[in-house]
Amino acid sequence: MLPASWSGWRRSRVSLTGPDGLRKQLTRTLIETALDEEMAEHLGYEKHGAAGKQTADSRNGVRPKTVLTETTGPVEVDVPRDREGTFEPVIVKERQRRLTGADEMVLSLYAKGLTTGEISAHFAEIYGASVSKETVSRITDRVLEEMAVWQNRPLDEVYAAIFIDAIVVKIRDWQVANRPIYAAIGVTLDREKDILGLWAGAGGEGAKFWMSVLTDIKNRGVKDTFFSFAGASGRVLEYSPYPYRVLPPGRPGPGQGQRRTP
């Protein structure tokens, strides 16, 4: 089951990076997941935990807050509150209105192929010494759960077209490195966009990587598409079971490029 904040995402003609795109919805989910774990550390028990009945302080609903991101613009999130009013959020501080670096972080975190260590390193950089290592670990585990739901959701059986392209983002492990995030975008038979998935690469991906991407799409229910297009790497389509075209750099769109026979 997808989180409530993602309701309607799949059939809303959603783009990946625009002001109303998938990145904004993932940003909201990521922030709210982290805030929920921050509140759990503050109170000393998990949400709906039995221990909450034996403490003086407890959760007291949420309040809406809008933060500005560099690419997706304003993102509205629900910040949890406690009855005593002593909770001080860290990932989005009390008077903080601008969230820097969130756009790249969200894409990299929700892409398949990142290790748990890389995901944990992102949160460790955000929080520093503000929260305990145990809390960073719990936030990482919660985000991994949310990611798995989104990454493994079932897809349509048939798409009119599937596009594969890349966005280069900064990913942190022991050091920061630029890595490509490959996005597969399906166009449904109703002409609506469906973000099929995100995959983290290292650059110069080979047969094994592309076969895993295509197998993932197939295993989640896609049986056929009229055309597949690739702007990021034409090589992916050499392993495609679907008809395809390779797009010339800088000219994405149906009908362009040279037709190849699978």
Side-chain angles (χ1 to χ4, degrees):
M1 183 176 180
L2 292 172
S5 59
W6 293 356
S7 59
W9 70 269
R10 190 163 179 253
R11 288 290 178 265
S12 58
R13 299 182 185 273
V14 66
S15 64
L16 179 63
T17 58
D20 297 314
L22 177 68
R23 187 185 286 188
K24 174 178 285 190
Q25 298 178 43
L26 295 180
T27 299
R28 177 184 176 185
T29 299
L30 180 70
I31 293 172
E32 290 180 350
T33 298
L35 286 170
D36 197 40
E37 285 302 317
E38 287 183 31
M39 177 62 82
E41 181 186 51
H42 174 71
L43 296 176
Y45 65 91
E46 295 293 330
K47 193 173 184 179
H48 307 306
K53 299 178 181 179
Q54 304 171 4
T55 59
D57 200 4
S58 62
R59 287 172 173 78
N60 187 30
V62 298
R63 61 179 177 83
K65 178 172 183 171
T66 300
V67 292
L68 295 176
T69 62
E70 295 165 306
T71 303
T72 58
V75 177
E76 186 172 296
V77 297
D78 289 334
V79 180
R81 300 183 301 181
D82 63 327
R83 293 192 180 279
E84 294 185 354
T86 55
F87 174 58
E88 296 182 1
V90 178
I91 194 168
V92 179
K93 295 180 173 59
E94 191 68 31
R95 292 179 175 80
Q96 182 178 349
R97 294 299 174 190
R98 187 171 295 276
L99 196 62
T100 59
D103 302 300
E104 286 191 341
M105 180 185 70
V106 166
L107 281 186
S108 61
L109 289 180
Y110 277 88
K112 282 189 174 181
L114 255 64
T115 66
T116 302
E118 288 171 328
I119 294 170
S120 183
H122 274 288
F123 286 111
E125 180 185 20
I126 293 170
Y127 284 108
S130 301
V131 301
S132 67
K133 291 182 179 180
E134 290 76 14
T135 298
V136 171
S137 179
R138 287 203 307 270
I139 291 172
T140 301
D141 290 342
R142 276 286 307 279
V143 169
L144 285 170
E145 291 176 9
E146 301 282 358
M147 287 164 47
V149 172
W150 185 81
Q151 292 168 344
N152 298 311
R153 73 200 186 285
L155 304 173
D156 286 357
E157 290 189 359
V158 179
Y159 287 91
I162 294 176
F163 299 85
I164 298 179
D165 211 342
I167 299 173
V168 177
V169 302
K170 288 179 171 56
I171 294 178
R172 174 175 290 278
D173 190 357
W174 295 108
Q175 59 184 3
V176 176
N178 289 327
R179 288 174 58 182
I181 300 295
Y182 297 98
I185 303 171
V187 179
T188 72
L189 300 182
D190 296 325
R191 305 184 201 179
E192 296 177 339
K193 292 180 182 178
D194 186 357
I195 310 299
L196 309 185
L198 302 169
W199 293 266
E205 276 61 46
K208 184 177 180 180
F209 176 87
W210 292 121
M211 282 298 292
S212 68
V213 170
L214 294 168
T215 299
D216 183 20
I217 292 173
K218 183 178 180 180
N219 288 344
R220 287 161 58 206
V222 179
K223 295 182 178 179
D224 200 6
T225 181
F226 296 111
F227 289 104
S228 301
F229 302 87
S233 173
R235 189 174 183 187
V236 58
L237 300 181
E238 296 176 10
Y239 313 102
S240 174
Y242 315 116
Y244 65 86
R245 293 181 182 180
V246 178
L247 303 178
R251 297 185 59 194
Q256 300 176 357
Q258 181 180 359
R259 178 66 186 269
R260 294 189 179 186
T261 303

